[in-house]
Amino acid sequence: MAPTSLGQLKPRKQPVQDRSHATVDAIFEATVQVLLRDGARKLTTRRIAERAGVSIGTLYQYFPGKEALLYALVSRQLDLAASAVEEACRENHGRPINQCSDTFVNAYIDAKASNPESSRALYQATAGLDMKELIDTAIMRLHRAAYSLLASSSDDLVDDLDNVVFSLIAVVTGGTRQIFEGDDTATRLPTFREQLARMCRAYLNESKVSKRV
Amino acid sequence: MAPTSLGQLKPRKQPVQDRSHATVDAIFEATVQVLLRDGARKLTTRRIAERAGVSIGTLYQYFPGKEALLYALVSRQLDLAASAVEEACRENHGRPINQCSDTFVNAYIDAKASNPESSRALYQATAGLDMKELIDTAIMRLHRAAYSLLASSSDDLVDDLDNVVFSLIAVVTGGTRQIFEGDDTATRLPTFREQLARMCRAYLNESKVSKRV
DNA sequence: CCCAAAAATGAACGATTGTTCATATAATAG
DNA sequence: CTATTATATGAACAATCGTTCATTTTTGGG
């Protein structure tokens, strides 16, 4: 969990009054909006503060810098998505392989689709910054959750399950990203979800012990 | 600034001497290196010129601005990859579905893997800039190539082939991106390629007319 | 060798960046 | 109420940004 210098990246002040919570939320929300409207290149602390309706000084009372703000935003979102997937996987242990597959695919897409704007913004925010540790941590959580789910399945899977899960996650997260970064997300997401579910089921069924000589 | 005016984004001067070609190449190469080493946030025209071993003035004799430089770089790379995939698809018309699938997957990954550093840099470069048109064009080329390839297959496919191809491309491009943006690309790419190929084959075989009632 | 064209240079400019800090306002406890 | 802490403000700063352009150096044909 500990990045290089976590002390520099944590919030400067912890809120004790209600209004400061509201301020922090407004800053996060403004960051997402600026990211969506102006893009990562024009994402400045001034613009964020302006859209949030607070002064630039206020922003710097809660975050030691711009990087820390983005770091906190991304961290929050990734944790939310990972937790949702973990819970869904936990609740579906021991089911047939097809159901396990659908569980993972749908849980991940649901998590992203629950706030499409934030998801879009997130992809922009991670660019150009060193969010690798954060992303790696989230992916590891997905990996553990999916591995555990599939290993618990009532169907037997191949022994190189690690590679299967690794590829599955790359495809699900990467494919979903393409949809969210492309046009007509709302229109195309249902179709993609269905096709991705079919694809993952077919792949995992192909990976059963019984299918491999 | 007007991002959509294409005239502003084209090279300012066309090279007539050899050394100027070398200069342009050096600038492109330097852009990739800065992108990889310092990230998109620290990608400045000064830094690019410095690493290319030219003055800042020289950079602005070939490109009207930073955006135009990135636009040209991304455009070149996307065109290269799309052309490679198109050619491979053309050469494999009329084959069985499994071979068509492998053709597309391997052609795309080969194109990206032929210069992993450029591919990595490309993903960073597209962030925060308005490269949507460029990317859409490239994806449309991939779509046409894959559609034509699969439609020509000796096996019959479902009638909603457009949706199948759309999802296939999202998964292949998105999944590959995840591998290139992650750690240990060189180590993990062969495994991912193999698993992705299996996944796409399984998916397309599931999409045959004979399998759907 | 010479000289017009091509290519390269980097000091300089205004705009904008991230960040700080002395000050002002709002909330809360006694 | 008063005193104290929490929160909010925005002018100001140094650094750096993208870009321009008058000038110099290099090139290649005559």
Side-chain angles (χ1 to χ4, degrees), chain B residues 6-15 24 28 59-65 68-69 71-73 75:
Chain B
L6 198 63
Q8 306 274 19
L9 293 177
K10 278 195 171 174
R12 185 164 270 171
K13 162 187 290 188
Q14 18 236 57
V24 170
F28 277 141
L59 189 153
Y60 277 92
Q61 277 200 330
Y62 293 101
F63 303 96
L69 166 57
Y71 195 87
L73 177 67
S75 180

Side-chain angles (χ1 to χ4, degrees), chain B residues 102-146:
Chain B
D102 290 354
T103 291
F104 182 80
V105 170
N106 285 319
Y108 184 80
I109 292 187
D110 281 344
K112 289 290 175 187
S114 72
N115 197 340
E117 294 186 350
S118 285
S119 299
R120 264 177 122 99
L122 190 81
Y123 292 128
Q124 298 250 359
T126 53
L129 238 61
D130 194 16
M131 303 264 174
K132 226 168 197 172
E133 292 185 28
L134 231 37
I135 294 175
D136 276 357
T137 302
I139 287 189
M140 276 176 57
R141 289 176 63 184
L142 293 185
H143 196 284
R144 286 204 202 91

Side-chain angles (χ1 to χ4, degrees), chain A residues 1-210:
Chain A
M1 303 264 181
T4 43
S5 62
L6 196 66
Q8 304 278 18
L9 293 176
K10 273 196 169 174
R12 187 164 267 171
K13 164 186 288 187
Q14 15 237 61
V16 304
Q17 294 178 7
D18 278 350
R19 57 175 174 155
S20 62
H21 273 120
T23 300
V24 169
D25 283 348
I27 291 172
F28 277 140
E29 177 59 25
T31 305
V32 169
Q33 288 180 17
V34 173
L35 233 19
L36 291 176
R37 176 190 288 259
D38 304 320
R41 287 257 323 279
K42 296 182 179 176
L43 181 78
T44 68
T45 51
R46 283 181 155 80
R47 223 183 280 256
I48 293 169
E50 186 190 13
R51 196 175 269 340
V54 302
S55 74
I56 181 62
T58 295
L59 189 153
Y60 277 91
Q61 277 199 331
Y62 292 101
F63 303 96
K66 185 185 169 185
E67 291 203 10
L69 166 57
L70 291 177
Y71 196 87
L73 177 67
V74 172
S75 180
R76 211 182 54 159
Q77 299 256 118
L78 288 181
D79 180 64
L80 234 59
S83 296
V85 171
E86 283 171 342
E87 187 187 346
C89 288
R90 233 182 288 117
E91 289 174 352
N92 284 272
H93 268 220
R95 310 291 179 90
I97 193 68
N98 279 351
Q99 197 167 337
C100 290
S101 177
D102 290 353
T103 292
F104 182 79
V105 169
N106 285 320
Y108 184 79
I109 292 188
D110 281 343
K112 290 289 175 187
S114 72
N115 197 341
E117 295 186 349
S118 285
S119 299
R120 264 178 123 97
L122 189 81
Y123 292 129
Q124 299 248 1
T126 53
L129 238 62
D130 194 17
M131 303 264 174
K132 226 169 197 172
E133 293 185 29
L134 230 39
I135 295 175
D136 277 357
T137 301
I139 288 188
M140 277 176 54
R141 288 176 63 182
L142 293 185
H143 196 284
R144 286 203 202 91
Y147 187 98
S148 168
L149 176 70
L150 293 175
S152 79
S153 170
S154 44
D155 298 308
D156 280 331
L157 285 170
V158 292
D159 49 20
D160 62 339
L161 185 57
D162 252 321
N163 287 334
V164 170
V165 170
F166 174 76
S167 303
L168 192 81
I169 288 177
V171 154
V172 171
T173 58
T176 304
R177 174 179 189 154
Q178 298 290 92
I179 304 304
F180 275 93
E181 287 194 307
D183 291 326
D184 300 325
T185 302
T187 309
R188 288 173 159 166
L189 191 57
T191 301
F192 177 72
R193 182 203 291 263
E194 193 183 335
Q195 298 299 315
L196 181 62
R198 289 186 51 238
M199 197 181 317
C200 291
R201 267 190 250 125
Y203 172 56
L204 291 174
N205 280 297
E206 237 1 78
S207 300
K208 280 184 191 169
V209 172
S210 56

